[in-house]
Amino acid sequence: MTDSVSGRPARQVATADWQALAEELDEYGCALTPQLLTPAECREIVACYDRPELFRTTVDMGRHRFGSGEYRYFTHDLPEPVGALREAFYPHLRAIGHLWAERLGRTAPWPESFAQWLDSCHRAGQVKSSQILLRYQAGDWNALHRDIFGDLVFPLQVVIGLDEYGTDYTGGEFLLVEQRPRAQSRGITTALKQGHGLIFTTRDRPVRSARGWSASPVRHGVSTVRSGRRHALGLVFHDA
């Protein structure tokens, strides 16, 4: 990991106020990070989209009725900033995941070593890279969904905005919809600033109820892009 390429974004993750982020996740199921990538670093990652050799597959969302737009899954040979960010996030998200599992009376299968966790995924047959680079044009959108690819699931993931909201594109807000216990669903919208990340729950999260802690299912998506072009980087911590 070189300081010039990947050290600075990783330090941004390490020096974030993780207590405040954990509290925001408890309250809303998502939390905005400080700026992780500079505009130049964002543009470098966006430029990867037009290098097909970096990706294992391309998904046309309209064809699969996932919405409208396109995304690509990276190969395991990740660009350095992408791999560094993923490794930097893991120990902090793991700590939150263990706390959530304890509240819900679940096992917490995520070891201290990120490499060991990925090895567990691979031994379970989840061998494909799950890191995503998404591209939306005007009129595109992403249906509400959850990124679950097998039995081994990491409880949190991160999306990073790569374009400037309100300048490069309009619309395209990140959507989070939570089915609360014995209540109507609650929706949250977030406009992603360029280079900033949003941590959010992959499948569900613990919420307090009269009987203690309950699991509240959550799905995520993207509202319709009204103009311009929107790119985002998705960091998923279990393989597919």
Side-chain angles (χ1 to χ4, degrees), residues 13-69:
V13 173
T15 58
D17 186 343
W18 279 98
Q19 181 175 344
L21 290 171
E23 290 172 356
E24 194 171 347
L25 282 163
D26 277 343
E27 182 69 22
Y28 302 110
C30 61
L32 279 167
T33 75
Q35 185 176 22
L36 305 173
L37 298 169
T38 66
E41 289 167 335
C42 290
R43 288 192 293 270
E44 289 179 4
I45 295 175
V46 169
C48 290
Y49 202 91
D50 296 317
R51 297 176 58 193
E53 70 275 11
L54 297 177
F55 302 94
R56 65 173 177 85
T57 192
T58 300
V59 177
D60 180 337
M61 287 191 276
R63 178 183 176 187
H64 296 280
R65 304 184 72 179
F66 295 161
S68 176

CSV table of all heavy atoms in Angstrom, one decimal, residues 13-69:
chain,number,residue,atom,x,y,z
A,13,VAL,N,-10.3,7.0,6.3
A,13,VAL,CA,-11.2,6.0,7.0
A,13,VAL,C,-10.8,5.8,8.4
A,13,VAL,O,-11.6,5.9,9.4
A,13,VAL,CB,-11.2,4.6,6.3
A,13,VAL,CG1,-11.9,3.6,7.0
A,13,VAL,CG2,-11.7,4.8,4.8
A,14,ALA,N,-9.5,5.7,8.7
A,14,ALA,CA,-9.0,5.4,10.1
A,14,ALA,C,-9.3,6.6,11.0
A,14,ALA,O,-9.5,6.4,12.2
A,14,ALA,CB,-7.5,5.1,10.0
A,15,THR,N,-9.2,7.8,10.5
A,15,THR,CA,-9.4,9.0,11.4
A,15,THR,C,-10.8,9.5,11.5
A,15,THR,O,-11.0,10.5,12.1
A,15,THR,CB,-8.4,10.1,10.9
A,15,THR,OG1,-8.8,10.5,9.5
A,15,THR,CG2,-7.0,9.7,11.0
A,16,ALA,N,-11.7,8.8,10.8
A,16,ALA,CA,-13.1,9.2,10.9
A,16,ALA,C,-13.6,9.1,12.4
A,16,ALA,O,-13.1,8.3,13.2
A,16,ALA,CB,-14.0,8.4,10.0
A,17,ASP,N,-14.6,9.8,12.7
A,17,ASP,CA,-15.2,9.7,14.1
A,17,ASP,C,-16.2,8.4,14.1
A,17,ASP,O,-17.3,8.5,13.8
A,17,ASP,CB,-16.0,10.9,14.4
A,17,ASP,CG,-16.6,10.9,15.8
A,17,ASP,OD1,-16.6,9.9,16.5
A,17,ASP,OD2,-16.9,12.0,16.3
A,18,TRP,N,-15.6,7.3,14.4
A,18,TRP,CA,-16.3,6.0,14.3
A,18,TRP,C,-17.4,5.9,15.4
A,18,TRP,O,-18.4,5.2,15.2
A,18,TRP,CB,-15.4,4.8,14.3
A,18,TRP,CG,-14.8,4.7,13.0
A,18,TRP,CD1,-13.6,5.1,12.5
A,18,TRP,CD2,-15.5,4.1,11.8
A,18,TRP,NE1,-13.5,4.8,11.1
A,18,TRP,CE2,-14.6,4.2,10.7
A,18,TRP,CE3,-16.7,3.5,11.7
A,18,TRP,CZ2,-15.0,3.8,9.5
A,18,TRP,CZ3,-17.1,3.1,10.4
A,18,TRP,CH2,-16.2,3.2,9.3
A,19,GLN,N,-17.2,6.5,16.5
A,19,GLN,CA,-18.3,6.5,17.5
A,19,GLN,C,-19.6,7.2,17.0
A,19,GLN,O,-20.7,6.7,17.1
A,19,GLN,CB,-17.9,7.1,18.8
A,19,GLN,CG,-19.0,7.1,19.9
A,19,GLN,CD,-18.5,7.6,21.2
A,19,GLN,OE1,-17.3,7.8,21.5
A,19,GLN,NE2,-19.4,7.9,22.1
A,20,ALA,N,-19.3,8.4,16.3
A,20,ALA,CA,-20.4,9.2,15.8
A,20,ALA,C,-21.1,8.4,14.6
A,20,ALA,O,-22.3,8.4,14.5
A,20,ALA,CB,-20.0,10.5,15.3
A,21,LEU,N,-20.3,7.7,13.8
A,21,LEU,CA,-20.8,7.0,12.7
A,21,LEU,C,-21.6,5.8,13.2
A,21,LEU,O,-22.7,5.5,12.6
A,21,LEU,CB,-19.7,6.5,11.8
A,21,LEU,CG,-18.9,7.5,11.0
A,21,LEU,CD1,-17.7,6.9,10.3
A,21,LEU,CD2,-19.8,8.1,9.9
A,22,ALA,N,-21.2,5.1,14.2
A,22,ALA,CA,-21.9,4.0,14.8
A,22,ALA,C,-23.2,4.5,15.4
A,22,ALA,O,-24.3,3.8,15.2
A,22,ALA,CB,-21.1,3.3,15.9
A,23,GLU,N,-23.2,5.6,16.0
A,23,GLU,CA,-24.5,6.2,16.6
A,23,GLU,C,-25.5,6.5,15.4
A,23,GLU,O,-26.7,6.3,15.6
A,23,GLU,CB,-24.2,7.4,17.4
A,23,GLU,CG,-23.5,7.0,18.7
A,23,GLU,CD,-23.0,8.3,19.5
A,23,GLU,OE1,-23.2,9.4,19.0
A,23,GLU,OE2,-22.4,8.1,20.6
A,24,GLU,N,-25.0,7.1,14.3
A,24,GLU,CA,-25.8,7.4,13.2
A,24,GLU,C,-26.4,6.2,12.6
A,24,GLU,O,-27.6,6.1,12.2
A,24,GLU,CB,-25.0,8.2,12.2
A,24,GLU,CG,-25.9,8.9,11.2
A,24,GLU,CD,-25.1,9.9,10.3
A,24,GLU,OE1,-24.0,10.3,10.7
A,24,GLU,OE2,-25.7,10.3,9.3
A,25,LEU,N,-25.6,5.1,12.5
A,25,LEU,CA,-26.1,3.8,11.9
A,25,LEU,C,-27.1,3.3,12.8
A,25,LEU,O,-28.1,2.7,12.3
A,25,LEU,CB,-24.9,2.8,11.8
A,25,LEU,CG,-24.0,3.0,10.6
A,25,LEU,CD1,-22.7,2.3,10.8
A,25,LEU,CD2,-24.7,2.6,9.3
A,26,ASP,N,-27.0,3.4,14.1
A,26,ASP,CA,-28.0,2.9,15.1
A,26,ASP,C,-29.3,3.7,14.9
A,26,ASP,O,-30.4,3.1,15.0
A,26,ASP,CB,-27.5,3.1,16.5
A,26,ASP,CG,-26.7,1.9,17.0
A,26,ASP,OD1,-26.7,0.9,16.3
A,26,ASP,OD2,-26.0,2.1,18.0
A,27,GLU,N,-29.2,5.0,14.6
A,27,GLU,CA,-30.4,5.8,14.5
A,27,GLU,C,-31.1,5.6,13.1
A,27,GLU,O,-32.3,5.6,13.1
A,27,GLU,CB,-30.0,7.3,14.7
A,27,GLU,CG,-31.2,8.2,14.6
A,27,GLU,CD,-32.1,8.1,15.8
A,27,GLU,OE1,-31.7,7.6,16.9
A,27,GLU,OE2,-33.3,8.5,15.7
A,28,TYR,N,-30.3,5.6,12.1
A,28,TYR,CA,-30.9,5.6,10.7
A,28,TYR,C,-30.7,4.4,9.8
A,28,TYR,O,-31.3,4.3,8.8
A,28,TYR,CB,-30.4,6.9,10.0
A,28,TYR,CG,-30.7,8.2,10.7
A,28,TYR,CD1,-29.7,8.9,11.3
A,28,TYR,CD2,-32.0,8.7,10.9
A,28,TYR,CE1,-29.9,10.1,12.0
A,28,TYR,CE2,-32.3,9.8,11.5
A,28,TYR,CZ,-31.2,10.5,12.1
A,28,TYR,OH,-31.5,11.7,12.8
A,29,GLY,N,-29.7,3.6,10.2
A,29,GLY,CA,-29.3,2.5,9.3
A,29,GLY,C,-28.3,2.9,8.2
A,29,GLY,O,-28.0,2.1,7.4
A,30,CYS,N,-27.9,4.1,8.3
A,30,CYS,CA,-26.9,4.6,7.3
A,30,CYS,C,-26.1,5.8,8.0
A,30,CYS,O,-26.6,6.4,8.9
A,30,CYS,CB,-27.5,5.0,6.0
A,30,CYS,SG,-28.7,6.4,6.1
A,31,ALA,N,-24.9,6.1,7.4
A,31,ALA,CA,-24.1,7.1,8.0
A,31,ALA,C,-23.2,7.7,7.0
A,31,ALA,O,-22.5,6.9,6.3
A,31,ALA,CB,-23.3,6.6,9.2
A,32,LEU,N,-23.1,9.0,6.8
A,32,LEU,CA,-22.2,9.6,5.9
A,32,LEU,C,-20.8,9.7,6.4
A,32,LEU,O,-20.6,10.2,7.6
A,32,LEU,CB,-22.7,11.0,5.5
A,32,LEU,CG,-23.8,11.0,4.4
A,32,LEU,CD1,-24.5,12.4,4.4
A,32,LEU,CD2,-23.3,10.7,3.1
A,33,THR,N,-19.8,9.4,5.7
A,33,THR,CA,-18.4,9.5,6.1
A,33,THR,C,-17.9,10.9,5.7
A,33,THR,O,-18.5,11.6,4.8
A,33,THR,CB,-17.5,8.5,5.4
A,33,THR,OG1,-17.3,8.8,4.0
A,33,THR,CG2,-18.2,7.1,5.5
A,34,PRO,N,-16.7,11.3,6.2
A,34,PRO,CA,-16.0,12.4,5.7
A,34,PRO,C,-15.6,12.1,4.2
A,34,PRO,O,-15.7,11.0,3.7
A,34,PRO,CB,-14.8,12.6,6.6
A,34,PRO,CG,-15.1,11.7,7.8
A,34,PRO,CD,-16.0,10.7,7.3
A,35,GLN,N,-15.0,13.1,3.6
A,35,GLN,CA,-14.5,12.9,2.2
A,35,GLN,C,-13.3,11.9,2.3
A,35,GLN,O,-12.4,12.0,3.0
A,35,GLN,CB,-14.0,14.2,1.6
A,35,GLN,CG,-13.5,14.1,0.2
A,35,GLN,CD,-13.2,15.4,-0.4
A,35,GLN,OE1,-12.8,16.4,0.3
A,35,GLN,NE2,-13.2,15.5,-1.8
A,36,LEU,N,-13.4,10.9,1.4
A,36,LEU,CA,-12.5,9.8,1.4
A,36,LEU,C,-11.5,9.9,0.2
A,36,LEU,O,-10.4,9.6,0.2
A,36,LEU,CB,-13.2,8.5,1.3
A,36,LEU,CG,-14.2,8.2,2.4
A,36,LEU,CD1,-14.9,6.9,2.2
A,36,LEU,CD2,-13.5,8.1,3.8
A,37,LEU,N,-12.1,10.4,-0.9
A,37,LEU,CA,-11.4,10.5,-2.2
A,37,LEU,C,-11.4,12.0,-2.7
A,37,LEU,O,-12.4,12.7,-2.6
A,37,LEU,CB,-12.0,9.6,-3.3
A,37,LEU,CG,-12.0,8.1,-3.0
A,37,LEU,CD1,-12.9,7.4,-4.0
A,37,LEU,CD2,-10.6,7.6,-3.0
A,38,THR,N,-10.3,12.4,-3.3
A,38,THR,CA,-10.2,13.7,-3.9
A,38,THR,C,-11.0,13.7,-5.2
A,38,THR,O,-11.2,12.6,-5.8
A,38,THR,CB,-8.8,14.2,-4.1
A,38,THR,OG1,-8.2,13.3,-5.1
A,38,THR,CG2,-8.0,14.1,-2.8
A,39,PRO,N,-11.4,14.9,-5.8
A,39,PRO,CA,-12.0,14.8,-7.1
A,39,PRO,C,-11.1,14.1,-8.2
A,39,PRO,O,-11.6,13.4,-9.0
A,39,PRO,CB,-12.1,16.3,-7.4
A,39,PRO,CG,-12.3,17.0,-6.1
A,39,PRO,CD,-11.4,16.2,-5.2
A,40,ALA,N,-9.8,14.3,-8.1
A,40,ALA,CA,-8.9,13.7,-9.1
A,40,ALA,C,-8.9,12.1,-8.9
A,40,ALA,O,-9.0,11.4,-9.9
A,40,ALA,CB,-7.5,14.2,-8.9
A,41,GLU,N,-9.0,11.7,-7.6
A,41,GLU,CA,-9.0,10.2,-7.4
A,41,GLU,C,-10.4,9.7,-7.9
A,41,GLU,O,-10.5,8.6,-8.4
A,41,GLU,CB,-8.8,10.0,-5.9
A,41,GLU,CG,-7.4,10.2,-5.5
A,41,GLU,CD,-7.2,10.2,-3.9
A,41,GLU,OE1,-8.2,10.5,-3.2
A,41,GLU,OE2,-6.1,9.9,-3.5
A,42,CYS,N,-11.4,10.5,-7.7
A,42,CYS,CA,-12.8,10.0,-8.2
A,42,CYS,C,-12.7,9.9,-9.7
A,42,CYS,O,-13.3,8.9,-10.2
A,42,CYS,CB,-13.8,11.0,-7.8
A,42,CYS,SG,-14.2,11.1,-6.0
A,43,ARG,N,-12.1,10.9,-10.4
A,43,ARG,CA,-12.1,10.8,-11.8
A,43,ARG,C,-11.3,9.6,-12.3
A,43,ARG,O,-11.6,9.0,-13.3
A,43,ARG,CB,-11.5,12.1,-12.4
A,43,ARG,CG,-12.4,13.3,-12.3
A,43,ARG,CD,-11.9,14.5,-13.1
A,43,ARG,NE,-10.7,15.0,-12.5
A,43,ARG,CZ,-10.7,16.0,-11.6
A,43,ARG,NH1,-11.8,16.5,-11.1
A,43,ARG,NH2,-9.5,16.5,-11.2
A,44,GLU,N,-10.2,9.3,-11.6
A,44,GLU,CA,-9.4,8.1,-12.0
A,44,GLU,C,-10.2,6.8,-11.9
A,44,GLU,O,-10.1,5.9,-12.7
A,44,GLU,CB,-8.2,8.0,-11.1
A,44,GLU,CG,-7.1,9.1,-11.3
A,44,GLU,CD,-5.9,8.9,-10.4
A,44,GLU,OE1,-5.9,8.0,-9.6
A,44,GLU,OE2,-5.1,9.8,-10.5
A,45,ILE,N,-11.0,6.7,-10.8
A,45,ILE,CA,-11.9,5.5,-10.7
A,45,ILE,C,-13.0,5.5,-11.8
A,45,ILE,O,-13.3,4.4,-12.4
A,45,ILE,CB,-12.5,5.4,-9.3
A,45,ILE,CG1,-11.4,5.2,-8.2
A,45,ILE,CG2,-13.5,4.3,-9.2
A,45,ILE,CD1,-11.8,5.3,-6.8
A,46,VAL,N,-13.6,6.6,-12.0
A,46,VAL,CA,-14.6,6.7,-13.1
A,46,VAL,C,-14.0,6.3,-14.4
A,46,VAL,O,-14.6,5.5,-15.2
A,46,VAL,CB,-15.2,8.1,-13.2
A,46,VAL,CG1,-16.0,8.3,-14.5
A,46,VAL,CG2,-16.0,8.5,-12.0
A,47,ALA,N,-12.7,6.7,-14.7
A,47,ALA,CA,-12.1,6.3,-16.0
A,47,ALA,C,-11.9,4.8,-16.1
A,47,ALA,O,-11.8,4.3,-17.2
A,47,ALA,CB,-10.7,7.0,-16.1
A,48,CYS,N,-11.9,4.1,-15.0
A,48,CYS,CA,-11.8,2.6,-15.0
A,48,CYS,C,-12.9,2.0,-15.8
A,48,CYS,O,-12.8,0.9,-16.3
A,48,CYS,CB,-11.7,2.0,-13.6
A,48,CYS,SG,-10.2,2.4,-12.7
A,49,TYR,N,-14.1,2.7,-15.8
A,49,TYR,CA,-15.3,2.1,-16.3
A,49,TYR,C,-15.1,1.7,-17.8
A,49,TYR,O,-15.7,0.8,-18.3
A,49,TYR,CB,-16.5,3.0,-16.2
A,49,TYR,CG,-17.8,2.3,-16.3
A,49,TYR,CD1,-18.4,1.8,-15.1
A,49,TYR,CD2,-18.4,2.0,-17.5
A,49,TYR,CE1,-19.6,1.1,-15.2
A,49,TYR,CE2,-19.6,1.4,-17.6
A,49,TYR,CZ,-20.2,0.9,-16.4
A,49,TYR,OH,-21.4,0.2,-16.5
A,50,ASP,N,-14.3,2.5,-18.5
A,50,ASP,CA,-14.0,2.3,-19.9
A,50,ASP,C,-12.8,1.4,-20.2
A,50,ASP,O,-12.3,1.4,-21.3
A,50,ASP,CB,-13.9,3.6,-20.6
A,50,ASP,CG,-15.2,4.5,-20.6
A,50,ASP,OD1,-16.2,3.9,-20.8
A,50,ASP,OD2,-15.1,5.7,-20.3
A,51,ARG,N,-12.4,0.6,-19.2
A,51,ARG,CA,-11.3,-0.3,-19.3
A,51,ARG,C,-11.9,-1.7,-19.0
A,51,ARG,O,-11.8,-2.2,-17.9
A,51,ARG,CB,-10.2,0.0,-18.4
A,51,ARG,CG,-9.5,1.3,-18.7
A,51,ARG,CD,-8.4,1.6,-17.7
A,51,ARG,NE,-7.4,0.6,-17.7
A,51,ARG,CZ,-6.5,0.4,-16.7
A,51,ARG,NH1,-6.5,1.3,-15.7
A,51,ARG,NH2,-5.6,-0.5,-16.8
A,52,PRO,N,-12.5,-2.4,-20.0
A,52,PRO,CA,-13.3,-3.6,-19.7
A,52,PRO,C,-12.4,-4.7,-19.1
A,52,PRO,O,-12.9,-5.6,-18.5
A,52,PRO,CB,-13.8,-4.0,-21.1
A,52,PRO,CG,-13.0,-3.3,-22.1
A,52,PRO,CD,-12.6,-2.0,-21.4
A,53,GLU,N,-11.1,-4.7,-19.3
A,53,GLU,CA,-10.2,-5.7,-18.8
A,53,GLU,C,-10.2,-5.7,-17.2
A,53,GLU,O,-9.8,-6.7,-16.6
A,53,GLU,CB,-8.8,-5.6,-19.3
A,53,GLU,CG,-8.0,-4.4,-18.8
A,53,GLU,CD,-8.3,-3.1,-19.6
A,53,GLU,OE1,-9.2,-3.0,-20.4
A,53,GLU,OE2,-7.5,-2.1,-19.3
A,54,LEU,N,-10.7,-4.6,-16.6
A,54,LEU,CA,-10.7,-4.5,-15.2
A,54,LEU,C,-11.9,-5.2,-14.5
A,54,LEU,O,-12.0,-5.3,-13.3
A,54,LEU,CB,-10.7,-3.1,-14.7
A,54,LEU,CG,-9.4,-2.3,-15.1
A,54,LEU,CD1,-9.6,-0.8,-14.6
A,54,LEU,CD2,-8.2,-2.9,-14.5
A,55,PHE,N,-12.8,-5.7,-15.4
A,55,PHE,CA,-14.1,-6.2,-14.8
A,55,PHE,C,-14.4,-7.6,-15.3
A,55,PHE,O,-14.0,-8.0,-16.4
A,55,PHE,CB,-15.2,-5.3,-15.3
A,55,PHE,CG,-15.0,-3.8,-14.9
A,55,PHE,CD1,-14.4,-2.9,-15.8
A,55,PHE,CD2,-15.5,-3.4,-13.7
A,55,PHE,CE1,-14.2,-1.6,-15.4
A,55,PHE,CE2,-15.3,-2.1,-13.3
A,55,PHE,CZ,-14.7,-1.2,-14.2
A,56,ARG,N,-15.1,-8.3,-14.4
A,56,ARG,CA,-15.5,-9.7,-14.7
A,56,ARG,C,-16.8,-9.8,-15.5
A,56,ARG,O,-17.0,-10.8,-16.2
A,56,ARG,CB,-15.5,-10.5,-13.5
A,56,ARG,CG,-16.6,-10.2,-12.5
A,56,ARG,CD,-16.6,-11.2,-11.3
A,56,ARG,NE,-17.6,-10.9,-10.3
A,56,ARG,CZ,-18.9,-11.2,-10.4
A,56,ARG,NH1,-19.4,-11.8,-11.4
A,56,ARG,NH2,-19.7,-10.9,-9.4
A,57,THR,N,-17.7,-8.8,-15.3
A,57,THR,CA,-18.9,-8.8,-16.0
A,57,THR,C,-19.6,-7.5,-16.0
A,57,THR,O,-19.3,-6.7,-15.1
A,57,THR,CB,-19.9,-9.9,-15.4
A,57,THR,OG1,-21.0,-10.1,-16.2
A,57,THR,CG2,-20.4,-9.4,-14.0
A,58,THR,N,-20.5,-7.3,-16.9
A,58,THR,CA,-21.3,-6.0,-17.0
A,58,THR,C,-22.8,-6.4,-16.9
A,58,THR,O,-23.2,-7.3,-17.6
A,58,THR,CB,-21.0,-5.3,-18.3
A,58,THR,OG1,-19.6,-4.9,-18.4
A,58,THR,CG2,-21.9,-4.0,-18.4
A,59,VAL,N,-23.5,-5.6,-16.1
A,59,VAL,CA,-24.9,-5.9,-15.9
A,59,VAL,C,-25.8,-4.8,-16.5
A,59,VAL,O,-25.6,-3.6,-16.1
A,59,VAL,CB,-25.3,-6.1,-14.4
A,59,VAL,CG1,-26.8,-6.4,-14.2
A,59,VAL,CG2,-24.5,-7.3,-13.9
A,60,ASP,N,-26.7,-5.1,-17.4
A,60,ASP,CA,-27.7,-4.2,-17.9
A,60,ASP,C,-28.9,-4.3,-17.0
A,60,ASP,O,-29.6,-5.3,-17.0
A,60,ASP,CB,-28.0,-4.5,-19.3
A,60,ASP,CG,-29.0,-3.6,-20.0
A,60,ASP,OD1,-29.8,-2.9,-19.2
A,60,ASP,OD2,-29.1,-3.5,-21.2
A,61,MET,N,-29.1,-3.2,-16.2
A,61,MET,CA,-30.2,-3.3,-15.2
A,61,MET,C,-31.6,-3.4,-15.8
A,61,MET,O,-32.4,-4.1,-15.3
A,61,MET,CB,-30.1,-2.1,-14.3
A,61,MET,CG,-29.0,-2.2,-13.3
A,61,MET,SD,-29.1,-0.9,-12.0
A,61,MET,CE,-28.4,0.5,-12.8
A,62,GLY,N,-31.8,-2.8,-17.0
A,62,GLY,CA,-33.1,-2.9,-17.6
A,62,GLY,C,-33.4,-4.3,-18.1
A,62,GLY,O,-34.5,-4.8,-18.0
A,63,ARG,N,-32.4,-5.0,-18.6
A,63,ARG,CA,-32.5,-6.3,-19.1
A,63,ARG,C,-33.0,-7.3,-18.0
A,63,ARG,O,-33.8,-8.2,-18.2
A,63,ARG,CB,-31.2,-6.8,-19.7
A,63,ARG,CG,-31.3,-8.2,-20.2
A,63,ARG,CD,-29.9,-8.7,-20.8
A,63,ARG,NE,-29.9,-10.1,-21.2
A,63,ARG,CZ,-28.8,-10.7,-21.5
A,63,ARG,NH1,-27.7,-10.1,-21.6
A,63,ARG,NH2,-28.9,-12.0,-21.9
A,64,HIS,N,-32.5,-7.0,-16.8
A,64,HIS,CA,-32.8,-7.9,-15.7
A,64,HIS,C,-33.9,-7.4,-14.8
A,64,HIS,O,-34.2,-7.9,-13.8
A,64,HIS,CB,-31.5,-8.2,-14.8
A,64,HIS,CG,-30.4,-8.9,-15.6
A,64,HIS,ND1,-30.4,-10.2,-15.7
A,64,HIS,CD2,-29.3,-8.4,-16.2
A,64,HIS,CE1,-29.3,-10.6,-16.4
A,64,HIS,NE2,-28.7,-9.5,-16.7
A,65,ARG,N,-34.5,-6.3,-15.2
A,65,ARG,CA,-35.6,-5.6,-14.5
A,65,ARG,C,-35.1,-5.2,-13.1
A,65,ARG,O,-35.9,-5.2,-12.2
A,65,ARG,CB,-36.8,-6.5,-14.4
A,65,ARG,CG,-37.3,-7.0,-15.8
A,65,ARG,CD,-38.6,-7.8,-15.7
A,65,ARG,NE,-39.7,-6.9,-15.4
A,65,ARG,CZ,-41.0,-7.4,-15.3
A,65,ARG,NH1,-41.2,-8.7,-15.5
A,65,ARG,NH2,-42.0,-6.6,-15.0
A,66,PHE,N,-33.9,-4.7,-13.0
A,66,PHE,CA,-33.3,-4.2,-11.8
A,66,PHE,C,-33.5,-2.7,-11.7
A,66,PHE,O,-33.2,-2.1,-10.7
A,66,PHE,CB,-31.8,-4.5,-11.7
A,66,PHE,CG,-31.5,-5.9,-11.5
A,66,PHE,CD1,-30.2,-6.3,-11.8
A,66,PHE,CD2,-32.4,-6.9,-11.1
A,66,PHE,CE1,-29.8,-7.7,-11.7
A,66,PHE,CE2,-32.0,-8.2,-11.0
A,66,PHE,CZ,-30.7,-8.6,-11.3
A,67,GLY,N,-34.1,-2.1,-12.8
A,67,GLY,CA,-34.2,-0.7,-12.9
A,67,GLY,C,-33.7,-0.2,-14.3
A,67,GLY,O,-34.1,-0.9,-15.3
A,68,SER,N,-32.9,0.8,-14.4
A,68,SER,CA,-32.3,1.2,-15.7
A,68,SER,C,-31.0,1.8,-15.4
A,68,SER,O,-30.7,2.5,-14.5
A,68,SER,CB,-33.2,2.3,-16.3
A,68,SER,OG,-32.7,2.8,-17.5
A,69,GLY,N,-30.0,1.4,-16.3
A,69,GLY,CA,-28.6,1.8,-16.1
A,69,GLY,C,-27.7,0.6,-16.2
A,69,GLY,O,-28.1,-0.5,-16.7
